[in-house]
Amino acid sequence: MEPLTSKGKYEAPRHGHLGFGPRKRTRSHRGRVKAYPKDNNKLPVHLTAFMGYKAGMTHVVRDLERPGSKMHKKEIVEAVTIIEAPPMVVIGMVGYVETPRGLRSLTAVWAEHLSEEAKRRFYKNWYRSKKKAFTKYAAKFADSSNDVARETERIKKYCSVVRVIAHTQVSKAKIHQRKAHVMEIQLNGGSVEQKVDFARAHFEKEIPVGSIFEQNENIDIIATTKGHGFEGVTARWGTKKLPRKTHRGLRKVACIGAWHPSRVMYSVARAGQRGYHRRTEINKKIYRIANGADAKSGTTEYDLTEKTINPMGGFPHYGLVNEDFVMIKGGCAGSKKRVITLRKSLTVHTSRRALEQISCKFIDTSSKFGHGRFQTAAEKHQFMGTLKKDL
């Protein structure tokens, strides 16, 4: 065998995954669902997705239940993300027919009343508009022409896929925005007639996140990643930096291809947009679903201190979570306040890890702004005593 000399190797693994190309800014700020779980008409009718807003992160302590692992029955610390998810409101439904070229929307039926935050989504400039959206459609309900009933029957007769149109209650989240996010959410389970009846029964009604997901469930997160603008090849693709004395810069790719073919191939690392891409992360386990206003939303069986999920001083760049929230394991794509789409998993989970029952022993609520020492304001007051500002 030839000894390895200092001249280096003649080949190396490529830098950066080509499966995520083209690395450009996503068209949709909201994470769009491209695939839904397979329908099973033996199950009751249920929604398959939801939307929430990323509040921030904290960590939890729990006992690991993983026979065979060295950490089995031992305490572990895990990072978790808090996603605030106020109830969504159903404002319509869409029926799809199957064609040789995929699904085609047949017709849509809307609710009689739409809230202002939902109507804002249909306008580019709300305050200068006449705010006439859906006024003619709402008149159909008072009319005896029965257009709405006819379109509902068409969906029952011809469609194979039914999706509800729902919007977030963005005013209840802390993102200082008045325009709601609207999405189609597929209904699975039951017959088409049952799906349509379910959708009509829920028009103008709130649907809480707890009615769709449950604790210990594995879900998928669809979101737009944090944007970093125009970046060079070293940060964007992770290519090796050139030697220090390189002429005209060293954060470059030395050779961008052979003489022939006389063009630059798509697989060569180049500078350009990094971040603000749509990404789907699968199998994020739900550790807790609760309400942030509940005085014991941060309490556990072992830590009986009465505290909410909010850290001291609130979540940085977000504020206080006062609505329903979902706590998922690990991080998730996007910056604070970004809209996150939660979707039911596309697969049936059978592994021991996926079916593990989670029981948190401790949820950290110390300040996330600096080195937080105290879990609650009462604990801080007990340690510090009466301060000048308290007088």
Side-chain angles (χ1 to χ4, degrees), residues 79-284:
V80 291
T81 302
I82 309 298
I83 298 171
E84 189 169 20
M88 290 182 73
V89 180
V90 176
I91 54 170
M93 65 174 158
V94 188
Y96 287 86
V97 290
E98 286 176 0
T99 71
R101 294 184 302 278
L103 294 175
R104 177 179 74 84
S105 61
L106 179 74
T107 186
V109 175
W110 296 85
E112 185 177 0
H113 305 103
L114 272 69
S115 65
E116 186 193 291
E117 54 189 0
K119 286 181 184 173
R120 280 175 180 267
R121 178 54 59 185
F122 301 103
Y123 286 94
K124 212 58 169 176
N125 193 333
W126 173 257
Y127 89 96
R128 285 172 67 178
S129 70
K130 293 177 180 174
K131 306 174 180 52
K132 301 282 280 183
F134 287 93
T135 49
K136 288 183 179 176
Y137 192 90
K140 290 181 181 179
F141 285 88
D143 208 4
S144 57
S145 61
N146 238 347
D147 278 359
V148 177
R150 188 173 68 245
E151 294 304 308
T152 306
E153 288 305 314
R154 282 185 68 207
I155 295 177
K156 284 184 179 179
K157 187 176 179 183
Y158 299 112
C159 294
S160 55
V161 173
V162 180
R163 294 177 183 168
V164 296
I165 303 167
H167 72 82
T168 59
Q169 297 189 72
V170 72
S171 57
K172 292 186 175 180
K174 304 291 176 299
I175 67 167
H176 305 294
Q177 184 179 314
R178 289 184 283 183
K179 186 187 288 191
H181 291 95
V182 182
M183 76 177 291
E184 286 182 13
I185 304 173
Q186 187 160 308
L187 292 177
N188 279 2
S191 64
V192 173
E193 288 80 9
Q194 288 171 323
K195 288 184 174 80
V196 173
D197 293 339
F198 177 92
R200 277 307 301 264
H202 285 80
F203 273 12
E204 301 177 32
K205 289 185 181 164
E206 293 186 347
I207 294 186
V209 67
S211 66
I212 300 173
F213 303 114
E214 57 187 16
Q215 191 174 331
N216 303 314
E217 187 178 348
N218 280 302
I219 63 171
D220 301 339
I221 300 291
I222 306 166
T224 300
T225 60
K226 192 184 289 186
H228 295 275
F230 194 99
E231 286 272 35
V233 284
T234 308
R236 193 182 187 212
W237 294 98
T239 55
K240 202 164 184 63
K241 283 166 69 177
L242 300 177
R244 183 185 61 80
K245 292 182 73 173
T246 310
H247 183 48
R248 289 187 183 152
L250 45 84
R251 295 173 67 91
K252 295 173 178 289
V253 172
C255 174
I256 59 169
W259 192 310
H260 289 292
S262 54
R263 53 194 163 271
V264 179
M265 292 183 69
Y266 79 98
S267 56
V268 176
R270 308 289 273 160
Q273 174 69 29
R274 180 167 82 90
Y276 204 71
H277 311 305
R278 181 185 158 280
R279 293 287 179 261
T280 304
E281 194 170 359
I282 63 171
N283 302 344
K284 307 295 284 186

Side-chain angles (χ1 to χ4, degrees), residues 63 299-305 359-362:
D63 281 335
T299 305
T300 65
E301 200 180 329
Y302 291 86
D303 177 26
L304 299 174
T305 313
S359 177
C360 295
K361 294 179 84 170
F362 169 76

Side-chain angles (χ1 to χ4, degrees), residues 299-339:
T299 305
T300 65
E301 200 180 329
Y302 291 86
D303 177 26
L304 299 174
T305 313
E306 193 171 292
K307 59 181 184 178
T308 65
I309 193 69
N310 294 298
M312 289 189 67
F315 287 100
H317 303 275
Y318 189 83
L320 299 175
V321 172
N322 292 322
E323 297 293 324
D324 294 346
F325 68 87
V326 179
M327 181 197 286
I328 59 166
K329 179 185 174 181
C332 82
S335 59
K336 277 85 166 174
K337 301 183 184 177
R338 183 149 299 171
V339 62

